[in-house]
Amino acid sequence: DTAVSQTPKYLVTQMGNDKSIKCEQNLGHDTMYWYKQDSKKFLKIMFSYNNKELIINETVPNRFSPKSPDKAHLNLHINSLELGDSAVYFCASSQDSGGNIQYFGAGTRLSVL
Amino acid sequence: GNSVTQMEGPVTLSEEAFLTINCTYTATGYPSLFWYVQYPGEGLQLLLKATKADDKGSNKGFEATYRKETTSFHLEKGSVQVSDSAVYFCALINNQGGKLIFGQGTELSVKP
């Protein structure tokens, strides 16, 4: 039973489209995160939610909008996709907002053509 | 600001060789330090961590010691296996609400 699961695993789309990536964790954790990994494997945090409240919001274009309907889910919606959005997006969760041990999903590889 | 710098990869070793992946950090205060591993096609997994100076984290034959005087957290393993081939990330958290700051990752390839 996967602890942190993301869907879809692969997403290929055209520039200008809107797409969503879903994330669910069954660990009972309070805090969830979205990270972006670029083509050089560099990982950077985008957002963090604690009990459905936004607590970290890095300098991310406002085309990216996270939504947390409950503490087990954190979805990422991206409007007007651009070529530079192509990356692997990882969801993660931790027991609390201290984030000392984070559990990662397998990633969603987004390719914008 | 906070940052993590790792040695550039790829690192290619023969099975049973000794591994060192260097990691240094810049941070205010007293961060917690981590090594995460990413196997091909998978997400990251925590490998080991240390939360204060002189702590040694260890797991699966890997170890790293939190050195405040040199601001380092080098990863070592005495005898690598082919199954250790992966990308290794050094990271820190510095009381910023769980915001993990990652190094650029070091790819390790172990040949039989």
Side-chain angles (χ1 to χ4, degrees):
Chain A
D1 202 16
T2 308
V4 181
S5 56
Q6 298 178 224
T7 53
K9 194 169 171 66
Y10 300 97
L11 187 50
V12 181
T13 188
Q14 301 287 331
M15 260 195 322
N17 284 350
D18 304 337
K19 291 292 177 187
S20 292
I21 307 171
K22 296 187 175 182
C23 179
E24 175 181 4
Q25 54 95 2
N26 63 6
L27 297 167
H29 288 169
D30 285 346
T31 309
M32 296 183 73
Y33 311 81
W34 277 110
Y35 289 85
K36 180 180 180 181
Q37 186 176 45
D38 65 22
S39 58
K40 296 185 179 176
K41 300 280 190 186
F42 186 66
L43 265 161
K44 195 169 190 311
I45 191 165
M46 301 172 69
F47 302 103
S48 173
Y49 272 71
N50 185 59
N51 270 321
K52 303 193 295 175
E53 286 194 29
L54 181 66
I55 56 170
I56 295 174
N57 185 355
E58 289 295 285
T59 311
V60 176
N62 57 16
R63 298 182 295 103
F64 289 78
S65 51
K67 283 194 171 46
S68 182
D70 55 61
K71 73 173 193 177
H73 294 85
L74 180 61
N75 304 322
L76 183 65
H77 188 75
I78 316 170
N79 287 327
S80 303
L81 278 155
E82 300 177 358
L83 293 176
D85 298 332
S86 296
V88 182
Y89 292 84
F90 286 100
C91 178
S93 73
S94 63
Q95 189 156 9
D96 55 41
S97 58
N100 256 297
I101 299 177
Q102 297 185 21
Y103 295 81
F104 284 75
T108 296
R109 182 174 294 278
L110 171 65
S111 299
V112 182
L113 307 177
Chain B
N2 302 310
S3 66
V4 176
T5 303
Q6 293 178 232
M7 62 188 281
E8 290 232 6
V11 173
T12 304
L13 296 173
S14 298
E15 214 165 16
E16 299 183 6
F18 185 87
L19 168 72
T20 301
I21 301 178
N22 289 341
C23 171
T24 56
Y25 67 90
T26 303
T28 53
Y30 303 96
S32 294
L33 302 175
F34 306 84
W35 277 100
Y36 278 83
V37 57
Q38 183 179 23
Y39 297 103
E42 297 183 14
L44 281 75
Q45 303 172 25
L46 179 67
L47 182 59
L48 54 85
K49 69 170 194 170
T51 55
K52 61 183 190 299
D54 299 325
D55 267 3
K56 179 187 280 189
S58 60
N59 186 23
K60 300 181 182 180
F62 291 90
E63 56 183 38
T65 302
Y66 189 143
R67 301 276 188 215
K68 191 167 182 300
E69 64 276 13
T70 53
T71 61
S72 65
F73 193 54
H74 305 322
L75 182 69
E76 295 182 338
K77 186 175 186 183
S79 175
V80 292
Q81 305 301 313
V82 172
S83 57
D84 293 327
S85 299
V87 181
Y88 292 81
F89 292 90
C90 186
L92 68 82
I93 283 179
N94 196 12
N95 300 322
Q96 292 186 359
K99 184 171 144 181
L100 267 171
I101 308 292
F102 285 95
Q104 69 269 40
T106 302
E107 184 178 357
L108 170 66
S109 177
V110 181
K111 306 294 185 191

